[in-house]
Amino acid sequence: MTGAASPDQAVGGLTEMLAGSPPRSDALGFYLHVPFCAARCHYCSFNTAPLEDGALARYLGALHRELDLLAELPWAPRVRIATVFLGGGTPSLLEADQLAAVLDRLRARFDVAADAEVTVECNPESVTRAKLAGYRAAGVTRVSLGVQSLDDAVLPRLGRLHDAGGARAAFAAAREAGVANVSVDLMYGLPGLDVAGFARAVEAVLAWGPEHLSAYGLTLDAGSLWGAAGVAGLPPEDTVVGQYWALARAAARRGLEHYEISNYARPGFRSLHNQVYWRAAEYLAAGPGACGFVGALRYANVKATPRYGEALEAGRLPVDSWEELTPRQRLGERLILGLRTSDGVPRAWLDERLAGDAALARRVGDWRARELLVDAAGRVRLTEAGFLLSDALFVDLL
Amino acid sequence: MTLSRNRNFSIVAHIDHGKSTLADRLLALTGTMDAKKAVDQVLDSMDLERERGITIKAHTVRLLYKARDGEEYTLNLIDTPGHVDFSYEVSRALAACEGALLIVDAAQGIEAQTLANFYLASDANLTIIPVINKIDLPAADVEGTRLAITETLELDGDEALAISAKHGTGVPEVLEAIVARIPPPAGDPDAPLKALVFDSFYDSYQGVVVYVRLKDGRVRPGTRILLMSNGRAYDVQQVGVFSPDMRPVEELSAGQVGYITASMKRVADAKVGETITEALRPTAEPFPGYRDAKPMVFAGLYPIEDTEYEALRDALEKLRLNDPAFSFEPETSLALGYGFRCGFLGLLHMEIVQERLEREFNLSLIVTAPSVRYRILTTAGELLEIENPSKLPTPDRIEQMEEPYVRSSVFVPTEFMTAIYKLAQEKRGEHQSLEYHGKRVHIRFDFPLAEIVVDFYDKLKSISKGYASFDYEFAEFRPSDLVKLDILLNGDPVDALSIIVHRDKAYEKGKALVEKLRAVIPRQLYEVAIQAAIGSRVIARETVKAMGKNVTAKCYGGDITRKRKLLERQKEGKKRMKQVGRVEVPQEAFLSVLKS
Ligand SMILES: Nc1nc2c(ncn2[C@@H]2O[C@H](COP(=O)(O)OP(=O)(O)OP(=O)(O)O)[C@@H](O)[C@H]2O)c(=O)[nH]1
Ligand code: SF4
Ligand SMILES: [Mg+2]
C-alpha cells in the first residue's frame, strides 16, 4: 500500500500511520538531514539548496519541533537510538553550538545510547580544527569527509569548493581535534580521470590512514546538472572497471575490508549507521526529504525546506509519502540490501526466494558457477566481481 | 412485406475514404441512431477498431427510410473494411447485396483498393453507385475525380454523388439514389427456404449468431433448418435484424438480411458461404459456396512463461470462434518451447490477433518472424508445404522449392514512378503493365509474397510521401532459388530465428539481422556471439560484449525505495525476455527480421 499526503489531509492521518506502525526492533538508527550547501556540485542530485539568510535558523527551529513530535509517538519511549547520522547537504555548515543543540534535543527526547555512533558529513572547506573539536564535545564520534578527488584539475570541474591541499588539511584538522574515526569519500569514473590518476588519489588518501573509505562510481542522476546537461570526457567502461579494481586491490593491501559495494573499513570501523540500511533494519528520520523505516512502513518527508517548515509550524509531522511493504517486498529488500555487503544474507533467505522459481534458480546457479556469488557458513554473498554486476542479480531477486 | 421496398447494399472503398462515417450519417438520417448520442464511426464497435480508427470486420445494420415518394423502405447496409488484409470480408458482404456504394475520397482520388473493390462488386453483378466523398476538404477535386471514375472504372462519373460524409452535405441524395438505382431483391417467399450465411460470430449466451441473406422462403423461431454442406439440422431459436443492435423479429423472409440463432456451438458449424434451408422442404440448389479466406502469413506464437501454454490455447480457440480466417496448430521450438504456428491474412491481421491475445487474455507472447507458405518437392518425390522455416528439409533432400507470388496493383502519382520501380526491383518484383490515368499511373507487378508482407507497404508509403496505394491477391506458386538462413547464439542455432530467403539476398539479410540482434540483445554476464549461417557456412557475425558493470553506487536510507522501484520497473521490462539456452533474448528480437 502506498500513499501521499494531500495538503488538506487530516493532520492526524499520517501521525496515526506512524503511531500504528511500531518498530519491530528496540534499537533504531536516526538520520538527520541538513538541506544546505554553499554551492551545488555538478553531479549532485541530493535534496539541498543554497544557504540563504535566516533559512538556517528557521530550519533548525522546525527540526527541533520535528524531534518533539516524533518523540510523542506512542512507541517512542521504548526505543533506543543506537546510531545517529547527520547527512546533507552540508551538515558542517552548522556551527558547533547549533549542532550541539540538535543533538541535545535528540538526547532529551529519545533514549540515545551512551556509546552511540554519531556521524557528521563534512566538506573540507567548511571545517576547522576548532569547529570539529566543538562537534566532538557535542558527542560526534565519527566524521565523514567529502574529498571526492585529489586532482586539482578535476575538483573544479566537479564544482567542488576545495582543492587537494584543503582536503588534506581538513583530514589533519579532524585528527588534531581528536576524531578517532574518520571516513573519506572518493569518486571514480569522473571525467578527465584515468585509472592511474585515480589509483594515485587512493594511495594518497590511504596514506593519511583513515579508518574508513567510501568510493562511488559516478552516475548521472536525474536532478543533477550533469544529469540534465550531460558532461564531456566521461571515461569508457573499461576505465571505470579498472578504477574499481585498483581501489579494491589498494584497500586490501592496506588491510581495509571491502565490506559493502562502495565501502571499505579497517576491522572494527564499519559504519554502524549505514549497516542499519543494508540489514533492512529500522531507522527514524528528520529533516526535509529525509526517509524513515519503521514496522513495515517506509516514509519520506516533504522535500522543499520551506514547506517542511510550514508543516511543522502548523504542528504537523512533515511526512509526504509512505509505503507499507508487503512480506514479499520485505524479503526482496532484505536480499538486495544484504547482498550489497560482504556479510551477505543467510542462505535460507535466498532459498525462500528461489523456491518454486526454477528459471531464477538456474540464473542464480550461473552466478555461483562464475563465482560471482559464493556460499560460506550458511550465508551467501557476492564476491568483489559480483558487486560490480550486482544490479543484474537484484532485478531478478525482487 | 413486399420485396419492392427492400434494398440491400454494401459500402466499399479504399481504406479511410469515409465508409464508416457515411454509415453514421445514414443511421442518423433514418433515425436508426440518435444523432446526439452517436459516437463517430458507431459501427466500428470493437475496441481495436475504435482505437485504430479503422474497420476490421464488416458490420450489418437495418435502416427504415421514408423516401420522397412517400413510401417506407427497408435498407440493409453493410459497412466493410478497406484494408487489404480484410478484403475477403468485402466479398462476403457483397454476396448478400444487390448494390454497392463505392466511395472515392475527392482529395485522394482512385486508389488501389478502390479498383479492387470495384472489380469485386462488378464481378458480383451489383449495381454500383459511385460516391465522391470529402468534398469539404480544401484539396478536394470533384471534377477530376468524376473524370477518373469515368476513365478508370467503367462507370459514369457524372452520375457520381458528391458528398461530405463528415458534414452531411449530399447525404439525403445518397438515400434517394439507393432507393432509385439499386434494384429490389428478387426471390420467392413461398418457395423452400434458401439463405446464404455471409458472416457469423460466437456469443456465449446464444451460441453462434449467423448472418443470413434470404434468397427464397421464410424462417422463424421453431423452423427446423438444415445446413446443406454438412447435413446438420437445428431448431431456430431466434431470428432478428440489426438496428444497430440485435433486435428479434417474428420472421425473416425472401430478400431480407438478418440473423438466426439455433444453439450452434461452433462458428465452424455454419461456415460463411453455407446454404441454410428447411429440413422438411429443402431447396434443390445450394449456393455455389465460396472459398474460405486462406491465411497467407504464418508466425509462431509462444507464451513467455511456459505455464501460460494452456491459457494461450484457450485464448486462440476463443478468438478463432469469431475469426475463421485465422488458423493455429501446436508446434514446438527448441528455443521457445511449446507454442502454436498461426496463420494470418496479413501483417495487420497478425498484429491485431497478437494485440487481442495480450489485451483481452492478458498473455505475454513471443511472436516469431512471419513467414509465407513454401512448397517443396523432395528428392524422394514428396510434396511438402512448409510454414515454419526451421522445418525445411536439408538442401540435399530438396529437389525444388516454390514460393507464393501475388499479383499487385500500385496507384501512384507519376512523379514517384522511378522510386516505385526501384523499390519493386529490390523486392524482386516483375513488372506486368503500366497505365496512365491523368497524373497517376497504375502499375501492375508480380511479387513474391514474402517480399511484401513485411515492410513493403511502409516503404511504399514513405517513398511516395503517402500517395501510393497498394493492393494484391494471391497468384500462384513459382519455383525459386531459396535458402534457409540460421541464426546462432553462442554457437547454438535458434530455430525460432531461422528465415527462408532468396539466395541473392541471403548475405545482405544475414548481415542486417545480426546487426539488429546485437542492438536488441542486452549485455549479459558473458559475451554473446551472434552468427548468421547458411548450412555450416557463417556469413555474418556480431558480438554482444559481456556486461562490464551494472551496479548502484549509493544505497542509503533515502535511496532504498527509489532503487527498489527502479529495479521493479526493469523487472517488468525483463518479463518480456525469453531464456534461450543461457542467453536472455528480448521479445522484439524475434521480430527483428521485420525491421532489418
Ligand atoms: N473532411 C472530411 N473528412 C472525412 C469525411 N468523411 C470521413 N472523413 C474522415 O476520414 C477518416 C476516415 O473515415 P472512416 O469513416 O473511418 O473511413 P473508412 O473508409 O470507414 O476507413 P476503413 O474502415 O479503415 O477502411 C476519419 O478521420 C473521418 O473523420 C468527409 O466528408 N470530410
Ligand atoms: S556538497 Fe554534497 S550535497 Fe552539497 S552539493 Fe556537493 S555533493 Fe551535493
Ligand atoms: Mg470503416
Side-chain angles (χ1 to χ4, degrees):
Chain A
M1 197 166 46
T2 60
S6 61
D8 50 16
Q9 183 154 12
V11 180
L14 296 162
T15 313
E16 270 159 27
M17 281 297 310
L18 272 176
S21 184
R24 298 172 188 206
S25 157
D26 288 338
L28 268 58
F30 209 119
Y31 177 78
L32 295 152
H33 191 77
V34 182
F36 302 108
C37 288
R40 185 181 274 279
C41 305
H42 300 162
Y43 53 84
C44 172
S45 63
F46 295 138
N47 188 31
T48 186
L51 187 54
E52 279 158 13
D53 278 353
L56 184 61
R58 270 200 306 282
Y59 153 76
L60 286 171
L63 183 66
H64 285 252
R65 251 183 305 263
E66 188 180 12
L67 296 179
D68 296 346
L69 287 177
L70 286 171
E72 284 168 18
L73 290 168
W75 39 260
R78 72 163 170 78
V79 301
R80 159 171 281 227
I81 305 302
T83 63
V84 179
F85 196 103
L86 281 106
T90 309
S92 54
L93 289 175
L94 298 187
E95 295 306 332
D97 58 333
Q98 292 169 318
L99 183 87
V102 172
L103 290 176
D104 286 346
R105 186 65 147 250
L106 185 67
R107 279 188 287 257
R109 296 287 179 256
F110 286 89
D111 174 14
V112 180
D115 60 350
E117 176 192 270
V118 181
T119 306
V120 182
E121 280 184 342
C122 298
N123 270 334
E125 72 283 354
S126 59
V127 293
T128 59
R129 179 185 163 175
K131 187 187 254 183
L132 290 168
Y135 282 5
R136 208 169 99 71
V140 171
T141 65
R142 186 171 178 268
V143 160
S144 166
L145 196 62
V147 171
Q148 318 311 359
S149 169
L150 287 180
D151 186 326
D152 283 343
V154 170
L155 281 165
R157 287 188 66 187
L158 305 181
R160 300 293 294 180
L161 300 175
H162 59 88
D163 57 13
R168 158 97 246 216
F171 186 87
R175 288 299 195 216
E176 286 158 20
V179 184
N181 187 352
V182 182
S183 176
V184 172
D185 278 5
L186 282 179
M187 295 177 77
Y188 60 97
L190 295 174
L193 188 67
D194 59 12
V195 176
F198 179 67
R200 274 196 304 278
V202 168
E203 288 301 339
V205 165
L206 290 176
W208 301 347
E211 284 66 37
H212 189 279
L213 177 65
S214 303
Y216 305 109
L218 173 71
T219 46
L220 299 186
D221 296 325
S224 68
L225 175 69
W226 284 354
V231 55
L234 286 176
E237 186 184 75
D238 297 356
T239 302
V240 185
V241 170
Q243 289 171 334
Y244 170 88
W245 285 111
L247 166 65
R249 278 191 294 268
R253 274 197 302 274
R254 299 272 181 160
L256 272 69
E257 300 166 330
H258 190 180
Y259 77 102
E260 194 263 355
I261 288 174
S262 304
N263 286 281
Y264 299 80
R266 286 202 203 149
F269 286 95
R270 297 181 183 190
S271 163
L272 298 176
H273 183 83
N274 290 338
Q275 288 185 106
V276 168
Y277 301 138
W278 304 320
R279 289 177 180 153
E282 293 155 300
Y283 51 97
L284 282 164
C291 298
F293 180 37
V294 280
L297 202 70
R298 286 204 180 273
Y299 70 92
N301 272 354
V302 170
K303 272 194 154 184
T305 304
R307 277 216 297 129
Y308 164 83
E310 285 157 23
L312 285 156
E313 271 151 35
R316 282 186 268 130
L317 277 176
V319 177
D320 179 55
S321 60
W322 50 267
E323 178 174 25
E324 206 170 326
L325 299 185
T326 63
R328 170 66 191 270
Q329 283 173 322
R330 276 185 84 94
L331 176 62
E333 282 195 352
R334 276 175 8 213
L335 289 170
I336 68 168
L337 293 168
L339 286 169
R340 293 185 66 87
T341 67
S342 60
D343 288 343
V345 294
R347 183 177 169 148
W349 293 4
L350 183 64
D351 290 344
E352 182 184 343
R353 177 64 186 84
L354 300 189
D357 190 338
L360 179 59
R362 240 191 344 265
R363 281 204 288 280
V364 170
D366 253 1
W367 281 70
R368 285 189 164 114
R370 304 186 85 83
E371 287 182 12
L372 299 168
L373 188 74
V374 294
D375 294 79
R379 299 181 74 86
V380 282
R381 64 174 179 86
L382 290 171
T383 59
E384 284 182 310
F387 281 161
L388 205 48
L389 304 174
S390 49
D391 277 351
L393 179 65
F394 296 165
V395 163
D396 287 338
L397 290 183
L398 271 182
Chain B
M1 186 53 110
T2 45
L3 290 184
S4 63
R5 289 203 294 278
N6 276 331
R7 298 290 183 275
N8 300 318
F9 67 100
S10 292
I11 310 182
V12 299
H14 191 77
I15 192 161
D16 273 350
H17 281 202
K19 297 176 287 295
S20 303
T21 306
L22 176 59
D24 285 352
R25 287 296 90 74
L26 298 179
L27 262 67
L29 270 185
T30 54
T32 314
M33 193 74 207
D34 184 341
K36 281 187 225 89
K37 279 198 216 131
V39 287
D40 285 350
Q41 288 99 34
V42 62
L43 294 182
D44 289 344
S45 51
M46 292 162 61
D47 281 353
L48 273 168
E49 290 184 318
R50 304 211 61 83
E51 273 168 35
R52 292 181 176 231
I54 57 167
T55 305
I56 294 169
K57 236 185 126 43
H59 297 281
T60 302
V61 61
R62 179 166 110 158
L63 321 172
L64 294 179
Y65 173 57
K66 187 108 193 268
R68 287 180 195 153
D69 63 11
E71 301 284 352
E72 182 164 87
Y73 289 83
T74 303
L75 310 183
N76 198 79
L77 171 164
I78 308 179
D79 181 23
T80 64
H83 192 279
V84 57
D85 275 13
F86 303 110
S87 60
Y88 79 105
E89 292 266 341
V90 181
S91 4
R92 284 151 55 149
L94 293 175
C97 299
E98 280 76 39
L101 303 181
L102 177 66
I103 315 293
V104 185
D105 184 318
Q108 301 290 327
I110 288 174
E111 301 198 66
Q113 271 95 43
T114 317
L115 198 68
N117 287 330
F118 165 74
Y119 286 131
L120 287 177
S122 67
D123 289 352
N125 289 319
L126 303 195
T127 301
I128 300 170
I129 304 178
V131 177
I132 300 172
N133 187 29
K134 307 200 189 181
I135 58 168
D136 58 292
L137 288 178
D141 176 6
V142 178
E143 288 318 307
T145 309
R146 279 190 201 285
L147 203 64
I149 289 174
T150 310
E151 285 180 353
T152 315
L153 315 173
E154 296 122 42
L155 293 172
D156 184 352
D158 292 329
E159 285 185 5
L161 302 167
I163 69 160
S164 163
K166 189 169 180 178
H167 300 300
T169 327
V171 179
E173 282 65 37
V174 174
L175 284 168
E176 283 298 313
I178 291 167
V179 168
R181 297 196 212 167
I182 296 177
D188 179 357
D190 299 319
L193 174 65
K194 182 175 179 184
L196 173 72
V197 175
F198 67 93
D199 201 354
S200 64
F201 71 92
Y202 179 81
D203 177 275
S204 47
Y205 297 103
Q206 315 185 67
V208 179
V209 178
V210 281
Y211 289 56
V212 287
R213 155 67 201 265
L214 272 67
K215 169 85 173 60
D216 295 318
R218 311 169 191 276
V219 61
R220 47 168 55 227
T223 308
R224 179 113 182 123
I225 53 168
L226 177 74
L227 306 189
M228 292 185 76
S229 73
N230 59 22
R232 290 177 202 243
Y234 299 89
D235 290 322
V236 171
Q237 291 208 310
Q238 200 182 84
V239 300
V241 295
F242 300 91
S243 71
D245 298 322
M246 282 169 68
R247 188 163 61 78
V249 295
E250 265 174 36
E251 180 184 270
L252 291 174
S253 64
Q256 292 187 319
V257 171
Y259 70 85
I260 296 179
T261 68
S263 304
M264 288 179 239
K265 288 283 166 296
R266 298 181 314 142
V267 171
D269 293 341
K271 280 202 175 155
V272 170
E274 174 70 79
T275 307
I276 295 184
T277 189
E278 281 158 79
L280 298 177
R281 195 170 64 124
T283 180
E285 276 285 299
F287 293 105
Y290 41 77
R291 61 187 168 92
D292 292 342
K294 278 228 177 61
M296 303 248 259
V297 177
F298 301 83
L301 253 58
Y302 289 82
I304 291 193
E305 298 290 341
D306 303 341
T307 50
E308 286 190 341
Y309 176 79
E310 291 299 327
L312 174 58
R313 198 199 10 234
D314 289 350
L316 291 172
E317 268 163 15
K318 289 209 180 90
L319 271 195
R320 218 240 309 261
L321 282 182
N322 286 326
D323 189 349
F326 151 70
S327 68
F328 66 94
E329 234 169 69
E331 72 171 9
T332 48
S333 150
L334 285 175
L336 301 178
Y338 292 97
F340 298 89
R341 176 87 358 195
C342 301
F344 308 95
L345 296 163
L347 226 53
L348 176 64
H349 188 210
M350 173 173 121
E351 269 175 37
I352 284 168
V353 168
Q354 181 195 354
E355 210 169 313
R356 292 188 61 186
L357 287 169
E358 300 209 296
R359 221 200 279 197
E360 294 167 28
F361 300 92
N362 208 5
L363 297 163
S364 281
L365 298 177
I366 287 191
V367 183
T368 66
S371 163
V372 299
R373 173 180 277 152
Y374 296 94
R375 267 201 205 155
I376 290 119
L377 180 65
T378 66
T379 45
E382 304 155 276
L383 192 64
L384 305 177
E385 293 203 329
I386 300 277
E387 295 133 19
N388 177 346
S390 71
K391 300 278 182 324
L392 192 71
T394 48
D396 56 303
R397 290 185 50 222
I398 298 177
E399 180 68 42
Q400 181 180 294
M401 270 180 90
E402 291 181 343
E403 67 176 323
Y405 268 69
V406 296
R407 208 155 281 142
S408 80
S409 277
V410 177
F411 261 81
V412 70
T414 45
E415 62 204 280
F416 300 112
M417 270 172 70
T418 329
I420 300 285
Y421 276 105
K422 187 159 166 285
L423 176 66
Q425 197 183 4
E426 275 168 31
K427 299 289 182 185
R428 298 193 281 137
E430 291 169 19
H431 179 253
Q432 300 298 328
S433 68
L434 170 67
E435 281 165 37
Y436 283 85
H437 297 288
K439 290 189 201 115
R440 295 176 151 235
V441 284
H442 176 196
I443 320 173
R444 289 197 171 84
F445 294 102
D446 286 358
F447 280 107
L449 175 62
E451 296 285 346
I452 59 157
V453 281
V454 170
D455 56 353
F456 182 80
Y457 191 66
D458 294 339
K459 288 210 167 122
L460 191 74
K461 283 279 172 195
S462 82
I463 61 171
S464 67
K465 304 209 169 97
Y467 283 113
S469 62
F470 180 63
D471 186 68
Y472 65 87
E473 59 181 13
F474 173 75
E476 67 206 349
F477 278 91
R478 294 191 195 169
S480 190
D481 187 11
L482 301 164
V483 293
K484 178 157 74 108
L485 185 69
D486 290 318
I487 298 293
L488 294 79
L489 294 183
N490 284 345
D492 298 325
V494 180
D495 55 1
L497 288 172
S498 294
I499 55 171
I500 291 173
V501 289
H502 193 268
R503 189 180 302 276
D504 295 346
K505 292 192 146 190
Y507 177 74
E508 177 198 334
K509 194 80 194 173
K511 197 160 164 298
L513 201 50
V514 295
E515 271 168 23
K516 175 74 193 178
L517 286 168
R518 184 185 52 77
V520 298
I521 294 178
R523 293 168 71 186
Q524 329 236 326
L525 290 183
Y526 17 76
E527 188 174 286
V528 179
I530 308 167
Q531 296 165 304
I534 298 173
S536 56
R537 190 164 55 92
V538 172
I539 58 169
R541 183 196 160 104
E542 291 279 345
T543 359
V544 179
K545 281 205 321 181
M547 190 188 286
K549 72 176 190 29
N550 184 1
V551 57
T552 302
K554 287 193 180 188
C555 196
Y556 299 109
D559 307 312
I560 296 170
T561 302
R562 196 174 339 116
K563 185 68 217 171
R564 179 168 45 76
K565 293 200 164 141
L566 201 78
L567 290 171
E568 276 167 356
R569 273 203 299 282
Q570 281 179 26
K571 194 184 180 71
E572 271 310 303
K574 274 193 73 169
K575 284 210 179 123
R576 310 192 79 82
M577 301 258 213
K578 186 87 186 180
Q579 186 96 18
V580 177
R582 286 162 76 210
V583 184
E584 283 186 349
V585 182
Q587 189 187 32
E588 71 258 34
F590 296 93
L591 281 174
S592 293
V593 67
L594 284 183
K595 278 124 197 159
S596 59

